[in-house]
Amino acid sequence: MGIDASHKADRSPSMFEVAKLAGVSHQTVSRVINDSPHVSASTRARVQQVIDDLGYRPSNSARTLASKRSHTIGLIAGGQHFFGPVSTLASIEELARRHGLFVTVSLIHEALCTQGEFEELCRTFEDQNVDAFVMLAPTDVMFSAACKARLSEPRVLVTSTHGQLGMGQAGRMMSDEDRQRTAIVGLDQWGAMERVAELVAKFGHRSVWYLAGPVQWRDAVTRLAAWRKVSALHSIDTRIIQARSWEAGEAYSLMNRELERLGQSGQNRPTAVITANDAQAVGVYRTLREHGLRVPQDVSVVGFDDMAGMDNMMPPLTTVRPDFDRLGAAAMQEVLRLLGVTGQTSFQESAHGAGLISCEIMQRRSLGPVSRN
């Protein structure tokens, strides 16, 4: 059946026009759109021909008529000013589109949000009839709020495995029903720090400064806890320098203070500095250079995140590369599993109450052997 070209040139066609031209009800058109088995092959072919001829594109509301779903995911994200959360958010949105899902996003301050503010966002999303939630919860404040929220929809929490709020305590904040509708995914940052410690020890480093990230961030707590444990296993003597932010400027100031203190005391400097993220490593580079120290001949440096440009530092930075694309894919796969669309997870490992995505160590020239001079 052909459709006159002049008809196509008008406004976008509606589902009711498709139904009229195909000689069926709009409910039948909706069933065809949603691949319902309750439509005969001949009717399906007739409706599909009209859809193709009109260039009709179904809206979310049309698809919802048959599926009882909005095909919309509510995403609440903290940490939008930082590399990791932004990269994960982009990956989630891209994968959702590939599955025909729309992501509606609300950004919230990761450290200052209240339980009431968080639950108000959830109610706003529920008013939009979202099918599920994805919550990027980089801090204990957000993780706690996400666990306490009472929701009838599935939720996927993207967070790190360790923090001041433990996984067991977080689980007790939820009802039995909530736990059954909840999945937690994250990066295997503990495993990454194990491999960093192995590599540092292999190069002979036994005196290391570790520049820790802000304590309210679960990533920072996980990386520090892992480093404390695994460095001790390799007999690495570590001095912890606690930062209040992820910023390069603060790292620069902290390193200046520590190197000046070291000069006054006459103690030996460390042979390596490990930072909780790459921005801190940039600040460390600047400090070392201003103090006349070379990387890696005098002090090796290792970062975390593999931010853009780290391979072009002088020298290129050895760092951990988290797979944010796979993390976003894992979050969406868990959404589909909880909705009953698929029965599989997208990660091979799980530990500490979360499905884990591995990280890669990018070994570059900022990490070298201990100088024997």
Side-chain angles (χ1 to χ4, degrees):
M1 154 186 342
I3 304 297
D4 184 76
S6 63
H7 194 105
K8 286 186 180 181
D10 296 335
R11 59 177 173 76
S12 299
S14 71
M15 182 172 62
F16 295 96
E17 290 173 281
V18 173
K20 182 178 180 180
L21 288 168
V24 298
S25 68
H26 70 272
Q27 290 93 340
T28 298
V29 175
S30 184
R31 293 188 187 101
V32 172
I33 291 169
N34 287 277
D35 295 323
S36 170
H38 306 299
V39 182
S40 69
S42 60
T43 300
R44 185 182 302 278
R46 186 166 75 253
V47 171
Q48 190 60 54
Q49 184 64 56
V50 174
I51 288 173
D52 294 341
D53 287 344
L54 283 178
Y56 171 67
R57 296 184 63 185
S59 65
N60 259 7
S61 58
R63 298 164 70 194
T64 302
L65 287 174
S67 67
K68 304 302 183 185
R69 288 182 178 164
S70 66
H71 299 272
T72 301
I73 306 301
L75 195 156
I76 301 175
Q80 65 269 21
H81 300 297
F82 298 93
F83 179 71
V86 169
S87 301
T88 306
L89 191 156
S91 176
I92 290 171
E93 198 278 331
E94 180 183 358
L95 190 70
R97 277 190 284 110
R98 276 194 255 147
H99 284 275
L101 299 172
F102 175 74
V103 177
T104 179
V105 180
S106 187
L107 305 178
I108 192 169
H109 196 288
E110 67 279 352
L112 301 179
C113 69
T114 65
Q115 187 70 37
E117 182 183 4
F118 192 91
E119 293 188 357
E120 182 62 30
L121 277 180
C122 292
R123 285 192 290 271
T124 299
F125 279 130
E126 287 182 318
D127 289 343
Q128 298 174 26
N129 194 33
V130 297
D131 295 329
F133 286 89
V134 177
M135 300 168 175
L136 304 189
T139 62
D140 284 314
V141 168
M142 273 200 70
F143 186 45
S144 174
C147 292
K148 290 178 179 178
R150 295 293 174 255
L151 304 170
S152 56
E153 300 82 9
R155 80 190 90 182
V156 176
L157 308 182
V158 182
T159 193
S160 192
T161 54
H162 292 70
Q164 298 181 54
L165 175 62
M167 286 291 186
Q169 184 182 357
R172 290 190 291 273
M173 292 177 174
M174 305 184 208
S175 66
D176 291 341
E177 294 79 9
D178 284 339
R179 281 194 295 272
Q180 292 172 4
R181 293 191 297 261
T182 300
I184 302 177
V185 298
L187 296 164
D188 185 14
Q189 300 181 72
W190 192 285
M193 295 310 294
E194 287 179 331
R195 294 193 295 280
V196 168
E198 290 170 3
L199 190 58
V200 167
K202 177 182 174 182
F203 278 105
H205 297 280
R206 293 298 182 271
S207 176
V208 172
W209 285 357
Y210 183 92
L211 190 56
V215 295
Q216 67 267 34
W217 279 69
R218 297 178 62 80
D219 287 345
V221 173
T222 301
R223 295 169 196 176
L224 175 57
W227 177 259
R228 284 185 187 276
K229 183 168 184 177
V230 299
S231 63
L233 294 176
H234 290 281
S235 301
I236 298 172
D237 181 27
T238 299
R239 172 174 169 75
I240 306 299
I241 303 171
Q242 183 63 60
R244 292 174 296 176
S245 74
W246 295 108
E247 302 302 323
E250 187 193 10
Y252 167 74
S253 297
L254 289 171
M255 279 293 294
N256 260 321
R257 184 188 69 191
E258 293 300 323
L259 287 174
E260 288 168 3
R261 181 193 60 80
L262 203 64
Q264 294 169 0
S265 67
Q267 295 176 327
N268 293 328
R269 66 171 179 266
T271 61
V273 176
I274 313 298
T275 64
N277 81 336
D278 289 344
Q280 291 179 330
V282 171
V284 170
Y285 264 49
R286 178 187 170 193
T287 310
L288 293 174
R289 187 173 296 112
E290 290 182 0
H291 282 261
L293 298 171
R294 301 164 299 166
V295 178
Q297 294 92 333
D298 300 315
V299 181
S300 287
V301 180
V302 178
F304 202 112
D305 277 341
D306 198 25
M307 294 168 56
M310 294 301 103
D311 55 342
N312 283 308
M313 294 281 286
M314 290 294 291
L317 179 67
T318 294
T319 186
V320 177
R321 176 184 288 176
D323 195 334
F324 293 116
D325 287 341
R326 281 189 60 210
L327 179 60
M332 280 307 306
Q333 188 72 19
E334 287 301 279
V335 168
L336 297 173
R337 182 182 66 81
L338 291 171
L339 290 173
V341 177
T342 66
Q344 298 180 333
T345 61
S346 63
F347 44 81
Q348 297 179 341
E349 297 183 22
S350 60
H352 311 291
L356 297 178
I357 300 301
S358 63
C359 304
E360 182 181 3
I361 308 300
M362 307 305 295
Q363 187 174 343
R364 302 184 181 121
R365 289 191 289 115
S366 72
L367 175 61
V370 173
S371 174
R372 300 304 178 190
N373 295 336

